[in-house]
Amino acid sequence: MVEVVPAILVKSREELLECIARVRESVSVVHIDMMDNEFVPNKTIGLESLAELPNGVSYEFHWMVKNPERWIAKINGNRLHLVHVETINKENWGALKKICARSGCRLGLVLNPETTIEKIMPYIKDVSRVLVMAVHPGFYGQKYIPDVEEKIRALRARFPKLEIEVDGGVNPETAGRACGAGANVLAAASAVYSAKNPLEAIKNISAAGASGAKTVTGE
Ligand code: DX5
Ligand code: ZN
């Protein structure tokens, strides 16, 4: 099974609600990009825009911020928080685990295109999901970097049950490659929201991913 998660990179609560509304009936999860203009050279909505999000869909947050624990501490409930391993150390990882034990959230780890999988090894036993960036984080509409497939393959070979998500440059052409390397979750912004019919775009990405997934050998 390949899951497509619409990615939302916006600067206002109005846009956020509109993007959620456009896909809410056809997906179970949406991906919200959070940027602080420090970890990446761009800024999106802040915490104040996240109050009382619509029901009927789950939320995963992609934290492209310095000190993600300071933000995540202010969010309640059963969310999936995807944090960049480049921002993690033993101390804040401990703090994040405590926050999630208290609020019922889940943690996932994110790797930038140049970050090796060795970097996540100290923390991987605590997570069920790893997100591999296929672009340098900060902007939507960038080109998929095929070199990251080597990393996806290595992760899949080492962790057969891990949820492996790919984010950046995902479209019906690249979805098959990413899933062929072992990904089973695909986040996509422009391929969904710039399409005339976002729901059809989601179906196409998912079908392309599923046919790529059939070719996974598990090495
Ligand atoms: C990039 C973000 C991605 C982005 C995806 O920094 O984390 O989630 O919105 O955009 P596309 O699918 O257009 O590459
Ligand atoms: Zn993202």
Side-chain angles (χ1 to χ4, degrees), residues 7-9 31 33 35 40 62 64 84 133 135-143 167-170 187-192:
I8 304 178
L9 190 167
H31 170 114
D33 285 315
M35 304 182 184
V40 288
H62 177 187
M64 289 159 276
H84 273 260
M133 289 305 296
V135 298
H136 292 103
F139 302 90
Y140 60 77
Q142 301 183 77
K143 205 161 170 252
D167 184 17
V170 170
S190 46
V192 170

Coordinates of all heavy atoms in Angstrom, one line a residue, residues 7-9 31 33 35 40 62 64 84 133 135-143 167-170 187-192, ligand 1:
A7 N 0.9 17.8 0.9 CA 1.7 18.7 1.7 C 1.3 20.1 1.5 O 1.0 20.6 0.4 CB 3.2 18.5 1.3
I8 N 1.2 20.8 2.7 CA 0.7 22.2 2.7 C 1.8 23.1 3.2 O 2.1 23.1 4.4 CB -0.6 22.3 3.5 CG1 -1.6 21.2 3.0 CG2 -1.2 23.7 3.6 CD1 -2.9 21.2 3.8
L9 N 2.2 24.0 2.3 CA 3.3 25.0 2.7 C 2.7 26.3 2.5 O 2.6 26.8 1.3 CB 4.5 24.7 1.8 CG 5.8 25.4 2.1 CD1 7.0 24.8 1.3 CD2 5.8 26.9 1.9
H31 N -0.1 16.8 5.5 CA 1.3 17.1 5.9 C 1.4 18.6 6.0 O 1.2 19.3 5.0 CB 2.2 16.5 4.9 CG 3.7 16.8 4.9 ND1 4.6 15.8 5.2 CD2 4.4 17.9 4.7 CE1 5.8 16.4 5.1 NE2 5.7 17.6 4.8
D33 N 3.8 21.8 6.5 CA 5.2 22.3 6.5 C 5.3 23.5 7.5 O 4.6 24.5 7.3 CB 5.6 22.7 5.1 CG 5.8 21.5 4.2 OD1 6.5 20.5 4.7 OD2 5.4 21.5 3.1
M35 N 8.1 26.2 9.0 CA 9.4 26.8 8.8 C 9.6 28.0 9.6 O 8.7 28.8 9.7 CB 9.6 27.1 7.3 CG 9.4 25.9 6.4 SD 9.7 26.4 4.7 CE 9.2 24.9 3.9
V40 N 15.7 26.9 7.8 CA 15.6 27.0 6.4 C 15.3 28.5 6.1 O 14.7 29.2 6.9 CB 14.4 26.1 5.8 CG1 14.8 24.7 5.8 CG2 13.1 26.4 6.5
H62 N 5.7 18.7 9.7 CA 7.1 18.6 9.2 C 7.8 19.9 9.8 O 7.6 21.0 9.2 CB 7.1 18.5 7.7 CG 8.5 18.5 7.1 ND1 8.7 18.5 5.8 CD2 9.7 18.4 7.7 CE1 10.0 18.5 5.6 NE2 10.6 18.4 6.7
M64 N 10.6 22.2 10.1 CA 11.9 22.7 9.5 C 12.2 23.9 10.3 O 12.2 25.0 9.9 CB 11.7 23.0 8.0 CG 11.6 21.7 7.2 SD 10.8 22.0 5.6 CE 9.0 21.9 6.1
H84 N 13.6 17.1 12.0 CA 14.9 16.9 11.3 C 16.0 16.4 12.2 O 16.2 17.0 13.2 CB 15.3 18.2 10.6 CG 14.7 18.4 9.3 ND1 15.4 18.1 8.1 CD2 13.5 18.7 8.9 CE1 14.6 18.3 7.1 NE2 13.5 18.7 7.5
M133 N 14.1 13.4 2.7 CA 13.9 14.6 1.8 C 14.5 14.3 0.4 O 15.7 13.9 0.3 CB 14.5 15.8 2.4 CG 13.9 16.4 3.6 SD 12.1 16.8 3.5 CE 12.1 18.1 2.2
V135 N 14.4 16.8 -1.8 CA 14.8 18.2 -2.2 C 15.4 18.8 -1.0 O 15.3 18.3 0.2 CB 13.6 19.1 -2.7 CG1 12.9 18.5 -3.9 CG2 12.6 19.3 -1.5
H136 N 16.1 20.0 -1.1 CA 16.6 20.7 0.0 C 15.4 21.4 0.6 O 14.7 22.1 -0.1 CB 17.7 21.6 -0.3 CG 19.0 20.8 -0.7 ND1 19.4 20.7 -2.0 CD2 19.8 20.1 0.1 CE1 20.4 19.9 -2.0 NE2 20.7 19.5 -0.8
P137 N 15.1 21.3 1.9 CA 13.9 21.8 2.4 C 13.8 23.4 2.4 O 14.9 24.0 2.4 CB 13.9 21.4 3.9 CG 15.3 21.1 4.2 CD 16.0 20.6 2.9
G138 N 12.6 23.9 2.2 CA 12.4 25.3 2.2 C 11.3 25.8 1.3 O 10.7 26.8 1.5
F139 N 11.2 25.1 0.2 CA 10.3 25.5 -0.9 C 9.6 24.4 -1.6 O 10.2 23.3 -1.6 CB 11.0 26.4 -1.9 CG 11.7 27.5 -1.3 CD1 13.0 27.4 -0.8 CD2 11.1 28.7 -1.1 CE1 13.7 28.5 -0.2 CE2 11.7 29.8 -0.4 CZ 13.0 29.7 0.0
Y140 N 8.4 24.6 -2.1 CA 7.7 23.6 -2.9 C 8.1 23.8 -4.3 O 8.8 24.8 -4.7 CB 6.2 23.6 -2.7 CG 5.5 24.8 -3.0 CD1 5.2 25.2 -4.4 CD2 5.0 25.7 -2.0 CE1 4.6 26.3 -4.7 CE2 4.4 26.9 -2.4 CZ 4.1 27.2 -3.7 OH 3.5 28.3 -4.0
G141 N 7.8 22.8 -5.2 CA 8.0 23.0 -6.6 C 9.5 22.8 -7.0 O 9.8 23.2 -8.1
Q142 N 10.3 22.1 -6.2 CA 11.7 21.9 -6.6 C 11.8 20.5 -7.2 O 10.8 19.7 -7.2 CB 12.6 21.9 -5.3 CG 12.6 23.2 -4.6 CD 13.6 23.1 -3.4 OE1 14.8 23.2 -3.6 NE2 13.1 22.9 -2.2
K143 N 12.9 20.3 -7.8 CA 13.1 19.0 -8.6 C 13.6 17.9 -7.7 O 14.6 18.1 -6.9 CB 14.2 19.3 -9.7 CG 14.1 18.4 -10.8 CD 14.8 19.0 -12.0 CE 14.8 17.9 -13.1 NZ 16.1 17.4 -13.3
D167 N 9.6 13.1 0.6 CA 9.0 14.5 0.5 C 9.8 15.3 -0.4 O 11.1 15.4 -0.2 CB 8.9 15.1 1.9 CG 8.2 16.4 2.0 OD1 7.5 16.8 1.0 OD2 8.4 17.1 3.0
G168 N 9.2 16.0 -1.4 CA 9.9 16.9 -2.3 C 10.0 16.3 -3.7 O 10.5 15.2 -4.0
G169 N 9.4 17.1 -4.6 CA 9.5 16.7 -6.0 C 8.7 15.4 -6.4 O 8.9 14.8 -7.5
V170 N 7.8 15.0 -5.5 CA 7.0 13.8 -5.8 C 5.9 14.2 -6.8 O 5.1 15.1 -6.6 CB 6.4 13.2 -4.5 CG1 5.4 12.1 -4.9 CG2 7.5 12.7 -3.6
A187 N 4.7 12.4 0.2 CA 4.2 13.7 0.5 C 4.3 14.5 -0.8 O 5.4 14.5 -1.4 CB 4.9 14.4 1.6
A188 N 3.3 15.2 -1.2 CA 3.3 16.0 -2.4 C 2.5 17.3 -2.3 O 1.4 17.2 -1.9 CB 2.8 15.2 -3.6
A189 N 3.2 18.4 -2.7 CA 2.5 19.7 -2.6 C 2.1 20.1 -4.0 O 0.9 20.1 -4.4 CB 3.4 20.7 -2.0
S190 N 3.1 20.5 -4.8 CA 2.7 21.1 -6.1 C 2.0 20.1 -7.1 O 1.1 20.5 -7.8 CB 3.9 21.8 -6.8 OG 5.0 21.0 -6.7
A191 N 2.4 18.8 -7.0 CA 1.7 17.9 -7.9 C 0.3 17.7 -7.6 O -0.5 17.3 -8.4 CB 2.5 16.5 -7.9
V192 N -0.1 18.0 -6.3 CA -1.5 17.9 -5.9 C -2.2 19.2 -6.1 O -3.2 19.3 -6.8 CB -1.6 17.5 -4.4 CG1 -3.0 17.6 -3.9 CG2 -1.1 16.0 -4.2
Ligands
DX5_1 C1 9.8 21.3 1.3 C2 8.6 20.8 2.0 C3 7.8 19.9 1.2 C4 7.2 20.6 0.0 C5 6.8 19.7 -1.1 O1 10.6 22.0 2.2 O2 9.0 20.1 3.2 O3 6.8 19.2 1.9 O4 6.0 21.3 0.4 O5 6.6 20.4 -2.2 P1 6.6 19.7 -3.7 O6 5.8 18.5 -3.6 O7 6.1 20.8 -4.6 O8 8.1 19.4 -3.9

